[in-house]
Amino acid sequence: MKAIVATDQAEGTAGMKLAQRPEPQAAINDVVVEVHAAGFVNTELEWPSTWADRAFRDRTPSILGHELAGVVTALGYGTTGLSIGQRVFGLADWHRDGTLAEYVAMEARNLAPLPGDVDFTVGASLPISGLTAWQGLIQHGRLQAGQNVLAHGAAGAVGSMVTQLAREAGAYVIGSGRAADRQKALDFGANEFVDLDNDKLEEVGGVDLVFDVIGGDIQKRSAALIRAGGTLVTVVGPTDIRPADGLAIDFVVEADRGQLWEIVQRIRDGRLRTNIGKVSSLEDAVATFNSTERRAGKTVIRVRP
């Protein structure tokens, strides 16, 4: 089968290539999915799990990508909850070969049914962005109606999900980003917008929750804005500073069938819009990932037309 693989961490995206790989087989509790669309996050090339398995053994050439939408073609021994021919979407294990391929083998529990009225491209754009926003806001941030949320990167794939879910929960959302992102962030539901290059972040005032996808100096300055009992939630690693009277939580997103189902239902009824930027073919994927153009939204690879 065709797949996008990486063999050398030092080369970054320049080391990615389209190659022929053996079709995967379903292990116990696995399914094999015929991939129709897949997502990719550039930081995958920095993750230890891209280059080694859980026993720290080299696993290159590794197939990249962890988000997918497709159709189940085989069931492993003991697999329950899914059936052959079923449309699914989900998040593949970090330490196993991924979804930028014609087929992927993965645990059935990491997949949710994809309704027939949701396009495969949309389905593939949801797992990381949607689950990250859901888990950061609801599980870790314990978001409540009436709270103020500072959502960094509000025009991005994750930030736009954060904005929409926070607004649905009854929060007041302050989005941040570059000046060019203002209108997009407002279109996704931000109540106001902070231009991080030209506005003074500290003028935002106190907030109950900061959702950080940037880190560094912006993270440190944001921690000082958190009210007593508030939370700094980040996905960029352990924080260097904590709120004076609050919590700092860094987390890695996890697959969750129930949460995926909640997210896709919101897509169906219009409460949630996905933020898709570039859509490319598997053959053009390497060139797309190596493009110097700024990415606006989620990049999705259509594996099958």
mmCIF file with all atom_site columns, all heavy atoms in Angstrom, residues 84-100:
data_model
loop_
_atom_site.group_PDB
_atom_site.id
_atom_site.type_symbol
_atom_site.label_atom_id
_atom_site.label_alt_id
_atom_site.label_comp_id
_atom_site.label_asym_id
_atom_site.label_entity_id
_atom_site.label_seq_id
_atom_site.pdbx_PDB_ins_code
_atom_site.Cartn_x
_atom_site.Cartn_y
_atom_site.Cartn_z
_atom_site.occupancy
_atom_site.B_iso_or_equiv
_atom_site.pdbx_formal_charge
_atom_site.auth_seq_id
_atom_site.auth_comp_id
_atom_site.auth_asym_id
_atom_site.auth_atom_id
_atom_site.pdbx_PDB_model_num
ATOM 1   N N   . ILE A 1 84  ? -17.606 -4.711 9.981  1.00 0.00 ? 84  ILE A N   1
ATOM 2   C CA  . ILE A 1 84  ? -17.019 -4.528 8.655  1.00 0.00 ? 84  ILE A CA  1
ATOM 3   C C   . ILE A 1 84  ? -17.976 -3.708 7.787  1.00 0.00 ? 84  ILE A C   1
ATOM 4   O O   . ILE A 1 84  ? -19.181 -3.930 7.780  1.00 0.00 ? 84  ILE A O   1
ATOM 5   C CB  . ILE A 1 84  ? -16.708 -5.891 8.012  1.00 0.00 ? 84  ILE A CB  1
ATOM 6   C CG1 . ILE A 1 84  ? -15.564 -6.572 8.777  1.00 0.00 ? 84  ILE A CG1 1
ATOM 7   C CG2 . ILE A 1 84  ? -16.328 -5.727 6.538  1.00 0.00 ? 84  ILE A CG2 1
ATOM 8   C CD1 . ILE A 1 84  ? -15.255 -7.971 8.300  1.00 0.00 ? 84  ILE A CD1 1
ATOM 9   N N   . GLY A 1 85  ? -17.408 -2.745 7.079  1.00 0.00 ? 85  GLY A N   1
ATOM 10  C CA  . GLY A 1 85  ? -18.195 -1.855 6.237  1.00 0.00 ? 85  GLY A CA  1
ATOM 11  C C   . GLY A 1 85  ? -18.670 -0.591 6.930  1.00 0.00 ? 85  GLY A C   1
ATOM 12  O O   . GLY A 1 85  ? -19.251 0.290  6.287  1.00 0.00 ? 85  GLY A O   1
ATOM 13  N N   . GLN A 1 86  ? -18.410 -0.464 8.225  1.00 0.00 ? 86  GLN A N   1
ATOM 14  C CA  . GLN A 1 86  ? -18.877 0.691  8.984  1.00 0.00 ? 86  GLN A CA  1
ATOM 15  C C   . GLN A 1 86  ? -17.978 1.901  8.763  1.00 0.00 ? 86  GLN A C   1
ATOM 16  O O   . GLN A 1 86  ? -16.756 1.798  8.733  1.00 0.00 ? 86  GLN A O   1
ATOM 17  C CB  . GLN A 1 86  ? -18.912 0.345  10.472 1.00 0.00 ? 86  GLN A CB  1
ATOM 18  C CG  . GLN A 1 86  ? -19.540 1.417  11.347 1.00 0.00 ? 86  GLN A CG  1
ATOM 19  C CD  . GLN A 1 86  ? -19.759 0.944  12.769 1.00 0.00 ? 86  GLN A CD  1
ATOM 20  O OE1 . GLN A 1 86  ? -19.313 -0.133 13.161 1.00 0.00 ? 86  GLN A OE1 1
ATOM 21  N NE2 . GLN A 1 86  ? -20.461 1.739  13.558 1.00 0.00 ? 86  GLN A NE2 1
ATOM 22  N N   . ARG A 1 87  ? -18.596 3.067  8.603  1.00 0.00 ? 87  ARG A N   1
ATOM 23  C CA  . ARG A 1 87  ? -17.860 4.332  8.518  1.00 0.00 ? 87  ARG A CA  1
ATOM 24  C C   . ARG A 1 87  ? -17.427 4.741  9.921  1.00 0.00 ? 87  ARG A C   1
ATOM 25  O O   . ARG A 1 87  ? -18.228 4.727  10.859 1.00 0.00 ? 87  ARG A O   1
ATOM 26  C CB  . ARG A 1 87  ? -18.717 5.448  7.913  1.00 0.00 ? 87  ARG A CB  1
ATOM 27  C CG  . ARG A 1 87  ? -19.211 5.170  6.533  1.00 0.00 ? 87  ARG A CG  1
ATOM 28  C CD  . ARG A 1 87  ? -20.238 6.220  6.097  1.00 0.00 ? 87  ARG A CD  1
ATOM 29  N NE  . ARG A 1 87  ? -19.617 7.318  5.371  1.00 0.00 ? 87  ARG A NE  1
ATOM 30  C CZ  . ARG A 1 87  ? -19.510 8.554  5.811  1.00 0.00 ? 87  ARG A CZ  1
ATOM 31  N NH1 . ARG A 1 87  ? -19.946 8.890  7.021  1.00 0.00 ? 87  ARG A NH1 1
ATOM 32  N NH2 . ARG A 1 87  ? -18.957 9.504  5.063  1.00 0.00 ? 87  ARG A NH2 1
ATOM 33  N N   . VAL A 1 88  ? -16.152 5.125  10.072 1.00 0.00 ? 88  VAL A N   1
ATOM 34  C CA  . VAL A 1 88  ? -15.607 5.456  11.383 1.00 0.00 ? 88  VAL A CA  1
ATOM 35  C C   . VAL A 1 88  ? -14.656 6.640  11.271 1.00 0.00 ? 88  VAL A C   1
ATOM 36  O O   . VAL A 1 88  ? -14.179 6.990  10.192 1.00 0.00 ? 88  VAL A O   1
ATOM 37  C CB  . VAL A 1 88  ? -14.849 4.259  12.006 1.00 0.00 ? 88  VAL A CB  1
ATOM 38  C CG1 . VAL A 1 88  ? -15.805 3.133  12.366 1.00 0.00 ? 88  VAL A CG1 1
ATOM 39  C CG2 . VAL A 1 88  ? -13.754 3.764  11.063 1.00 0.00 ? 88  VAL A CG2 1
ATOM 40  N N   . PHE A 1 89  ? -14.358 7.243  12.429 1.00 0.00 ? 89  PHE A N   1
ATOM 41  C CA  . PHE A 1 89  ? -13.303 8.249  12.515 1.00 0.00 ? 89  PHE A CA  1
ATOM 42  C C   . PHE A 1 89  ? -12.690 8.149  13.899 1.00 0.00 ? 89  PHE A C   1
ATOM 43  O O   . PHE A 1 89  ? -13.304 7.618  14.830 1.00 0.00 ? 89  PHE A O   1
ATOM 44  C CB  . PHE A 1 89  ? -13.835 9.653  12.234 1.00 0.00 ? 89  PHE A CB  1
ATOM 45  C CG  . PHE A 1 89  ? -14.655 10.273 13.341 1.00 0.00 ? 89  PHE A CG  1
ATOM 46  C CD1 . PHE A 1 89  ? -14.235 11.440 13.956 1.00 0.00 ? 89  PHE A CD1 1
ATOM 47  C CD2 . PHE A 1 89  ? -15.860 9.710  13.752 1.00 0.00 ? 89  PHE A CD2 1
ATOM 48  C CE1 . PHE A 1 89  ? -14.984 12.033 14.966 1.00 0.00 ? 89  PHE A CE1 1
ATOM 49  C CE2 . PHE A 1 89  ? -16.619 10.311 14.752 1.00 0.00 ? 89  PHE A CE2 1
ATOM 50  C CZ  . PHE A 1 89  ? -16.178 11.465 15.371 1.00 0.00 ? 89  PHE A CZ  1
ATOM 51  N N   . GLY A 1 90  ? -11.455 8.632  14.032 1.00 0.00 ? 90  GLY A N   1
ATOM 52  C CA  . GLY A 1 90  ? -10.837 8.510  15.343 1.00 0.00 ? 90  GLY A CA  1
ATOM 53  C C   . GLY A 1 90  ? -9.376  8.884  15.369 1.00 0.00 ? 90  GLY A C   1
ATOM 54  O O   . GLY A 1 90  ? -8.838  9.497  14.434 1.00 0.00 ? 90  GLY A O   1
ATOM 55  N N   . LEU A 1 91  ? -8.737  8.469  16.476 1.00 0.00 ? 91  LEU A N   1
ATOM 56  C CA  . LEU A 1 91  ? -7.366  8.876  16.800 1.00 0.00 ? 91  LEU A CA  1
ATOM 57  C C   . LEU A 1 91  ? -6.512  7.632  17.020 1.00 0.00 ? 91  LEU A C   1
ATOM 58  O O   . LEU A 1 91  ? -6.743  6.878  17.963 1.00 0.00 ? 91  LEU A O   1
ATOM 59  C CB  . LEU A 1 91  ? -7.392  9.742  18.065 1.00 0.00 ? 91  LEU A CB  1
ATOM 60  C CG  . LEU A 1 91  ? -6.100  10.372 18.543 1.00 0.00 ? 91  LEU A CG  1
ATOM 61  C CD1 . LEU A 1 91  ? -5.545  11.327 17.493 1.00 0.00 ? 91  LEU A CD1 1
ATOM 62  C CD2 . LEU A 1 91  ? -6.344  11.118 19.854 1.00 0.00 ? 91  LEU A CD2 1
ATOM 63  N N   . ALA A 1 92  ? -5.524  7.417  16.157 1.00 0.00 ? 92  ALA A N   1
ATOM 64  C CA  . ALA A 1 92  ? -4.671  6.229  16.230 1.00 0.00 ? 92  ALA A CA  1
ATOM 65  C C   . ALA A 1 92  ? -3.621  6.374  17.325 1.00 0.00 ? 92  ALA A C   1
ATOM 66  O O   . ALA A 1 92  ? -3.222  7.480  17.705 1.00 0.00 ? 92  ALA A O   1
ATOM 67  C CB  . ALA A 1 92  ? -3.985  5.998  14.881 1.00 0.00 ? 92  ALA A CB  1
ATOM 68  N N   . ASP A 1 93  ? -3.157  5.247  17.809 1.00 0.00 ? 93  ASP A N   1
ATOM 69  C CA  . ASP A 1 93  ? -2.141  5.182  18.865 1.00 0.00 ? 93  ASP A CA  1
ATOM 70  C C   . ASP A 1 93  ? -0.865  5.898  18.420 1.00 0.00 ? 93  ASP A C   1
ATOM 71  O O   . ASP A 1 93  ? -0.416  5.772  17.285 1.00 0.00 ? 93  ASP A O   1
ATOM 72  C CB  . ASP A 1 93  ? -1.839  3.713  19.167 1.00 0.00 ? 93  ASP A CB  1
ATOM 73  C CG  . ASP A 1 93  ? -0.951  3.537  20.375 1.00 0.00 ? 93  ASP A CG  1
ATOM 74  O OD1 . ASP A 1 93  ? 0.261   3.801  20.257 1.00 0.00 ? 93  ASP A OD1 1
ATOM 75  O OD2 . ASP A 1 93  ? -1.452  3.127  21.431 1.00 0.00 ? 93  ASP A OD2 1
ATOM 76  N N   . TRP A 1 94  ? -0.257  6.655  19.370 1.00 0.00 ? 94  TRP A N   1
ATOM 77  C CA  . TRP A 1 94  ? 0.942   7.425  19.042 1.00 0.00 ? 94  TRP A CA  1
ATOM 78  C C   . TRP A 1 94  ? 2.122   6.533  18.651 1.00 0.00 ? 94  TRP A C   1
ATOM 79  O O   . TRP A 1 94  ? 2.974   6.943  17.848 1.00 0.00 ? 94  TRP A O   1
ATOM 80  C CB  . TRP A 1 94  ? 1.373   8.291  20.227 1.00 0.00 ? 94  TRP A CB  1
ATOM 81  C CG  . TRP A 1 94  ? 0.307   9.149  20.825 1.00 0.00 ? 94  TRP A CG  1
ATOM 82  C CD1 . TRP A 1 94  ? -0.098  9.165  22.125 1.00 0.00 ? 94  TRP A CD1 1
ATOM 83  C CD2 . TRP A 1 94  ? -0.489  10.146 20.170 1.00 0.00 ? 94  TRP A CD2 1
ATOM 84  N NE1 . TRP A 1 94  ? -1.095  10.099 22.312 1.00 0.00 ? 94  TRP A NE1 1
ATOM 85  C CE2 . TRP A 1 94  ? -1.353  10.716 21.144 1.00 0.00 ? 94  TRP A CE2 1
ATOM 86  C CE3 . TRP A 1 94  ? -0.560  10.608 18.843 1.00 0.00 ? 94  TRP A CE3 1
ATOM 87  C CZ2 . TRP A 1 94  ? -2.275  11.717 20.836 1.00 0.00 ? 94  TRP A CZ2 1
ATOM 88  C CZ3 . TRP A 1 94  ? -1.474  11.604 18.544 1.00 0.00 ? 94  TRP A CZ3 1
ATOM 89  C CH2 . TRP A 1 94  ? -2.312  12.143 19.524 1.00 0.00 ? 94  TRP A CH2 1
ATOM 90  N N   . HIS A 1 95  ? 2.237   5.352  19.225 1.00 0.00 ? 95  HIS A N   1
ATOM 91  C CA  . HIS A 1 95  ? 3.425   4.508  19.037 1.00 0.00 ? 95  HIS A CA  1
ATOM 92  C C   . HIS A 1 95  ? 3.297   3.512  17.882 1.00 0.00 ? 95  HIS A C   1
ATOM 93  O O   . HIS A 1 95  ? 4.205   2.704  17.670 1.00 0.00 ? 95  HIS A O   1
ATOM 94  C CB  . HIS A 1 95  ? 3.734   3.733  20.323 1.00 0.00 ? 95  HIS A CB  1
ATOM 95  C CG  . HIS A 1 95  ? 4.228   4.592  21.446 1.00 0.00 ? 95  HIS A CG  1
ATOM 96  N ND1 . HIS A 1 95  ? 3.376   5.265  22.303 1.00 0.00 ? 95  HIS A ND1 1
ATOM 97  C CD2 . HIS A 1 95  ? 5.486   4.910  21.853 1.00 0.00 ? 95  HIS A CD2 1
ATOM 98  C CE1 . HIS A 1 95  ? 4.083   5.926  23.188 1.00 0.00 ? 95  HIS A CE1 1
ATOM 99  N NE2 . HIS A 1 95  ? 5.357   5.740  22.942 1.00 0.00 ? 95  HIS A NE2 1
ATOM 100 N N   . ARG A 1 96  ? 2.185   3.556  17.155 1.00 0.00 ? 96  ARG A N   1
ATOM 101 C CA  . ARG A 1 96  ? 1.989   2.619  16.052 1.00 0.00 ? 96  ARG A CA  1
ATOM 102 C C   . ARG A 1 96  ? 1.946   3.368  14.728 1.00 0.00 ? 96  ARG A C   1
ATOM 103 O O   . ARG A 1 96  ? 1.786   4.600  14.696 1.00 0.00 ? 96  ARG A O   1
ATOM 104 C CB  . ARG A 1 96  ? 0.679   1.840  16.248 1.00 0.00 ? 96  ARG A CB  1
ATOM 105 C CG  . ARG A 1 96  ? 0.667   0.979  17.498 1.00 0.00 ? 96  ARG A CG  1
ATOM 106 C CD  . ARG A 1 96  ? -0.675  0.285  17.679 1.00 0.00 ? 96  ARG A CD  1
ATOM 107 N NE  . ARG A 1 96  ? -0.980  -0.657 16.601 1.00 0.00 ? 96  ARG A NE  1
ATOM 108 C CZ  . ARG A 1 96  ? -2.067  -1.420 16.595 1.00 0.00 ? 96  ARG A CZ  1
ATOM 109 N NH1 . ARG A 1 96  ? -2.952  -1.348 17.594 1.00 0.00 ? 96  ARG A NH1 1
ATOM 110 N NH2 . ARG A 1 96  ? -2.295  -2.255 15.599 1.00 0.00 ? 96  ARG A NH2 1
ATOM 111 N N   . ASP A 1 97  ? 2.110   2.615  13.647 1.00 0.00 ? 97  ASP A N   1
ATOM 112 C CA  . ASP A 1 97  ? 2.011   3.232  12.332 1.00 0.00 ? 97  ASP A CA  1
ATOM 113 C C   . ASP A 1 97  ? 0.675   3.949  12.182 1.00 0.00 ? 97  ASP A C   1
ATOM 114 O O   . ASP A 1 97  ? -0.366  3.476  12.657 1.00 0.00 ? 97  ASP A O   1
ATOM 115 C CB  . ASP A 1 97  ? 2.166   2.178  11.234 1.00 0.00 ? 97  ASP A CB  1
ATOM 116 C CG  . ASP A 1 97  ? 3.631   1.885  10.942 1.00 0.00 ? 97  ASP A CG  1
ATOM 117 O OD1 . ASP A 1 97  ? 4.488   2.712  11.302 1.00 0.00 ? 97  ASP A OD1 1
ATOM 118 O OD2 . ASP A 1 97  ? 3.903   0.829  10.346 1.00 0.00 ? 97  ASP A OD2 1
ATOM 119 N N   . GLY A 1 98  ? 0.732   5.102  11.512 1.00 0.00 ? 98  GLY A N   1
ATOM 120 C CA  . GLY A 1 98  ? -0.397  6.016  11.498 1.00 0.00 ? 98  GLY A CA  1
ATOM 121 C C   . GLY A 1 98  ? -1.278  5.958  10.273 1.00 0.00 ? 98  GLY A C   1
ATOM 122 O O   . GLY A 1 98  ? -1.345  4.950  9.550  1.00 0.00 ? 98  GLY A O   1
ATOM 123 N N   . THR A 1 99  ? -1.911  7.086  10.006 1.00 0.00 ? 99  THR A N   1
ATOM 124 C CA  . THR A 1 99  ? -3.071  7.140  9.127  1.00 0.00 ? 99  THR A CA  1
ATOM 125 C C   . THR A 1 99  ? -2.806  7.732  7.742  1.00 0.00 ? 99  THR A C   1
ATOM 126 O O   . THR A 1 99  ? -3.702  7.744  6.901  1.00 0.00 ? 99  THR A O   1
ATOM 127 C CB  . THR A 1 99  ? -4.169  7.966  9.801  1.00 0.00 ? 99  THR A CB  1
ATOM 128 O OG1 . THR A 1 99  ? -3.677  9.307  10.035 1.00 0.00 ? 99  THR A OG1 1
ATOM 129 C CG2 . THR A 1 99  ? -4.564  7.347  11.133 1.00 0.00 ? 99  THR A CG2 1
ATOM 130 N N   . LEU A 1 100 ? -1.585  8.228  7.502  1.00 0.00 ? 100 LEU A N   1
ATOM 131 C CA  . LEU A 1 100 ? -1.259  8.737  6.165  1.00 0.00 ? 100 LEU A CA  1
ATOM 132 C C   . LEU A 1 100 ? -0.883  7.563  5.277  1.00 0.00 ? 100 LEU A C   1
ATOM 133 O O   . LEU A 1 100 ? 0.243   7.419  4.806  1.00 0.00 ? 100 LEU A O   1
ATOM 134 C CB  . LEU A 1 100 ? -0.131  9.766  6.245  1.00 0.00 ? 100 LEU A CB  1
ATOM 135 C CG  . LEU A 1 100 ? -0.503  11.112 6.866  1.00 0.00 ? 100 LEU A CG  1
ATOM 136 C CD1 . LEU A 1 100 ? 0.727   11.975 7.051  1.00 0.00 ? 100 LEU A CD1 1
ATOM 137 C CD2 . LEU A 1 100 ? -1.537  11.841 5.998  1.00 0.00 ? 100 LEU A CD2 1
#
